[in-house]
Amino acid sequence: MPPEQPRTRPDGRRGLPLGSSAGRLRARPWPASRRRAAAVQALKEREEVARGLRFRAVFMTLMGVVLAVATLDVLLGSLGLFLETRSRPLTDAERAKYVADDIARRWQAWPVGMVFPEELPYNGLGRAQQYARRVGVAPETTCTTAVDSPVASVLGEQGCRTMLRATYVDQTSTFAITVGVAVLRDEDARIDAASKLPVDDRVGVRPVAFPGTVTDNFGAAQRQRTGWVAAGPYIVFSTVGYTDGRTRESVPLEEQLNSEMWPTAESIAGRIARSLGEPPDVPRCTQGNVC
């Protein structure tokens, strides 16, 4: 089919073939349509802004709640810490515990010279004050190996923790006195143990002799008497004999009763027990003496 020829218009100019759209004017949108489109777009933008504002408001509210809860927790914690740590008067129970704890740790916390002083005063004949001298301190040992069997069984039942021993001589070096400090779990255990100890002045702590000193001959056979005194969680045992090696059997009973030997031993053991069990100064408040 031959190609379509351009048409000739009445004015002599050629026109475009039929069906051709070239040169046609495009349709222009109505002004009202543009305004509606702009209004729709503006509405969408306002809705997006509103949604953003609502989201921001919700977010800020949640953050405010979280911060408020966190602040309240911090304030409550700070208040609790302040109330817990502020200085206040000690209660009776706290004072009693302070005393008990201080006494119970003395056997470890104190140096040897405080548990067993180098010199201890006692009253001799005519109540004249004299001084016993410490000859030596034995190594720490178990309770059951430092005492006689009847006493060891009682201490073992009550959970005796350890035994500290030292030997003294009187001012004239006539008597040798071994002092043994049995450390119990607490005062209740000490009370139970003391109630079960045998009433026999021939059994108790075993003597400790130190070679090369006047106590060299002080052994089990030389013990004249034994005894004990209690303080806090401690039972302070003592045993005494002559430094010249005399045995118990060789000394008449009357001489034992009238001798200053046993009062000297009792005085030395009593002073050690009182020192260990003496109540400490208790602060009035939880942080010293200022509440």
Side-chain angles (χ1 to χ4, degrees), residues 120-132 169-175 177 258-268 271:
L120 285 171
Y122 68 95
N123 292 326
L125 292 176
R127 302 194 63 79
Q129 188 176 71
Q130 299 184 16
Y131 290 88
V169 293
D170 68 320
Q171 187 161 308
T172 62
S173 295
T174 303
F175 311 131
I177 305 105
N258 295 329
S259 171
E260 65 175 330
M261 173 190 296
W262 183 238
T264 299
E266 282 186 311
S267 178
I268 293 171
R271 286 185 178 277

Side-chain angles (χ1 to χ4, degrees), residues 84-279:
E84 183 68 24
T85 59
R86 70 185 177 91
S87 185
R88 57 173 177 76
L90 290 173
T91 64
D92 291 341
E94 289 172 333
R95 292 175 64 86
K97 186 176 185 303
Y98 181 95
V99 172
D101 291 347
D102 184 90
I103 293 174
R105 61 172 172 262
R106 287 178 178 174
W107 71 276
Q108 286 180 310
W110 281 8
V112 172
M114 288 186 67
V115 179
F116 298 120
E118 292 186 2
E119 287 188 343
L120 285 171
Y122 68 95
N123 292 326
L125 292 176
R127 302 194 63 79
Q129 188 176 71
Q130 299 184 16
Y131 290 88
R133 175 174 54 87
R134 189 188 72 200
V135 178
V137 177
E140 181 180 336
T141 187
T142 61
C143 299
T144 55
T145 59
V147 295
D148 297 303
S149 179
V151 178
S153 61
V154 174
L155 295 182
E157 289 175 0
Q158 299 303 321
C160 184
R161 299 173 63 183
T162 191
M163 177 73 75
L164 313 176
R165 290 183 297 173
T167 298
Y168 289 82
V169 293
D170 68 320
Q171 187 161 308
T172 62
S173 295
T174 303
F175 311 131
I177 305 105
T178 291
V179 179
V181 179
V183 182
L184 280 299
R185 293 192 308 271
D186 50 37
E187 190 167 356
D188 291 338
R190 186 269 297 168
I191 293 173
D192 291 341
S195 67
K196 298 176 182 178
L197 288 174
V199 183
D200 187 348
D201 66 359
R202 294 170 299 176
V203 296
V205 66
R206 293 176 177 171
V208 179
F210 292 89
T213 69
V214 293
T215 66
D216 196 16
N217 294 321
F218 185 40
Q222 285 70 42
R223 288 186 299 182
Q224 302 295 315
R225 290 189 66 176
T226 64
W228 57 268
V229 62
Y234 309 108
I235 298 179
V236 181
F237 293 92
S238 60
T239 186
V240 61
Y242 291 99
T243 57
D244 60 7
R246 277 180 281 179
T247 63
R248 180 184 175 109
E249 290 74 16
S250 66
V251 179
L253 180 60
E254 181 179 355
E255 182 178 340
Q256 294 179 19
L257 295 177
N258 295 329
S259 171
E260 65 175 330
M261 173 190 296
W262 183 238
T264 299
E266 282 186 311
S267 178
I268 293 171
R271 286 185 178 277
I272 291 175
R274 285 194 297 274
S275 177
L276 286 170
E278 182 178 6

